[in-house]
Amino acid sequence: MKYGALFAVLALSGPAFAQPGAPEPNAYWPPPDQAQQPQPQPQQNAATRATFVSSGEEKWDVWVDQQPACATPCTIGVMPLQYIALRTQERNPIRLDVGYLPQGDLMVSAKGLSNGLYSGGIIMTTFAGMGVATGITLTAVGCSTDHPTLCRAGIITAIPSAVGLYLGISWMRKALPKWNVERAQPYVAGSNVGVAGRF
């Protein structure tokens, strides 16, 4: 019994051996200087400061990821992966898909439909299209039947009508709603804070 107790005391007081496969002490802890050093944040997570304005009389609602955020004029912070859309405050709203915004201070301006220019484009396109059709018909009939007068009349009618058709379509395209994104410069003037841009 005395030898058994002595053997137990020697076994407890002997050197300790690490178990195979067990992690060493402080194996997963970095040095103190590295543990206290702040980790840099990824650049793509920086927010964009966007100011939304209207270049006309109508107001636009700003939608961020299919959720209403504010109405023009307003300034909000937007993340790079958030989708931006603009809608007019009408019963049948016009929607402009702006998409994803780059980083930085931005000015997003929206322009509605120019009714006068669009109506003028429709009228010009209608009459010019009729002139083109008439000129083509006169040219085809006159030139194929040896009627030089009719052939010349068709050419004279078709060429100006084609120019008018091109201008009418250009007016209609220019009158459509559109958006514009450009860099904005923040400014402080007395108690007023805002951004400077072209809109």
Side-chain angles (χ1 to χ4, degrees):
M1 184 67 181
K2 180 169 60 176
Y3 293 104
L6 181 60
F7 179 78
V9 171
L10 291 176
L12 292 175
S13 61
F17 296 94
Q19 296 294 329
E24 297 180 0
N26 298 330
Y28 300 105
W29 295 96
D33 55 341
Q34 295 183 7
Q36 297 176 1
Q37 184 177 1
Q39 298 297 325
Q41 297 295 329
Q43 185 69 19
Q44 61 269 19
N45 291 334
T48 297
R49 179 184 173 89
T51 299
F52 298 89
V53 296
S54 175
S55 58
E57 297 180 356
E58 65 278 336
K59 284 186 172 292
W60 297 78
D61 291 330
V62 181
W63 289 65
V64 179
D65 286 341
Q66 300 182 356
Q67 298 294 330
C70 65
T72 58
C74 62
T75 301
I76 59 175
V78 180
M79 303 304 291
L81 295 181
Q82 289 183 318
Y83 194 86
I84 307 299
L86 302 174
R87 294 183 182 179
T88 55
Q89 298 178 348
E90 300 174 342
R91 189 168 187 178
N92 296 318
I94 299 173
R95 174 174 171 171
L96 295 177
D97 291 322
V98 179
Y100 303 107
L101 297 177
Q103 299 177 10
D105 293 320
L106 303 176
M107 174 82 73
V108 182
S109 58
K111 183 184 77 68
L113 178 67
S114 299
N115 294 318
L117 189 61
Y118 192 77
S119 300
I122 291 177
I123 295 173
M124 170 128 354
T125 302
T126 302
F127 287 100
M130 295 170 58
V132 169
T134 303
I136 292 175
T137 303
L138 294 176
T139 303
V141 173
C143 295
S144 62
T145 58
D146 295 331
H147 287 79
T149 304
L150 195 62
C151 182
R152 286 195 300 270
I155 295 175
I156 294 173
T157 304
I159 293 178
S161 299
V163 175
L165 182 62
Y166 174 79
L167 292 177
I169 295 175
S170 300
W171 289 358
M172 293 174 63
R173 294 183 60 183
K174 189 176 180 180
L176 292 177
K178 57 178 62 72
W179 54 268
N180 182 47
V181 177
E182 61 181 357
R183 296 291 176 180
Q185 182 65 36
Y187 70 89
V188 177
S191 59
N192 297 324
V193 179
V195 291
R198 182 182 59 193
F199 59 94

